[in-house]
């Protein structure tokens, strides 16, 4: 899971939506979030989504950072 990329995240979101789910939140481990923030596209979208770090979004999904290092989960 350490090599999870922004493209993997995009694919996960798209697959979840195609399955008929309507995710509203991404639960993401703090180390994985840090790794994804190194990607310019992800960083720009997240950083520009809100001034308050607790209200940041990616692809219109709220981001919730968890204490699990490399976990990721989409929540409806």
């Amino acid at each position: 899971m350490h090599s999870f990329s922004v493209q993997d995240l995009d694919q996960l979101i798209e697959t979840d939506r195609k399955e008929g789910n309507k995710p509203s939140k991404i639960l993401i481990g703090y180390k994985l979030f840090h790794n994804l923030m190194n990607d310019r596209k992800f960083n720009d979208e997240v950083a520009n989504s809100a001034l308050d770090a607790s209200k940041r979004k990616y692809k219109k999904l709220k981001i919730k950072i968890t204490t699990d290092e490399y976990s990721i989960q989409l929540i409806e």
Side-chain angles (χ1 to χ4, degrees):
M1 184 66 108
H2 301 287
S3 63
F4 194 82
S5 68
V6 174
Q7 291 78 19
D8 295 328
L9 177 59
D10 291 345
Q11 185 176 0
L12 181 68
I13 293 168
E14 186 175 324
T15 301
D16 198 54
R17 288 180 173 161
K18 282 183 181 178
E19 291 175 353
N21 299 322
K22 296 179 182 175
S24 63
K25 188 182 293 186
I26 304 171
L27 297 180
I28 187 166
Y30 69 98
K31 284 189 177 182
L32 180 57
F33 180 74
H34 174 75
N35 291 344
L36 292 173
M37 286 300 282
N38 291 325
D39 182 283
R40 182 179 212 79
K41 173 188 162 201
F42 183 83
N43 187 313
D44 288 347
E45 185 166 343
V46 171
N48 293 327
S49 65
L51 293 175
D52 184 355
S54 67
K55 296 182 180 182
R56 294 200 171 151
K57 295 182 177 186
Y58 179 70
K59 297 205 179 264
K60 299 182 182 179
L61 301 175
K62 294 177 187 176
I63 296 175
K64 172 74 175 157
I65 309 293
T66 67
T67 57
D68 298 328
E69 294 180 356
Y70 291 98
S71 68
I72 188 154
Q73 184 179 6
L74 299 177
I75 304 292
E76 287 192 40

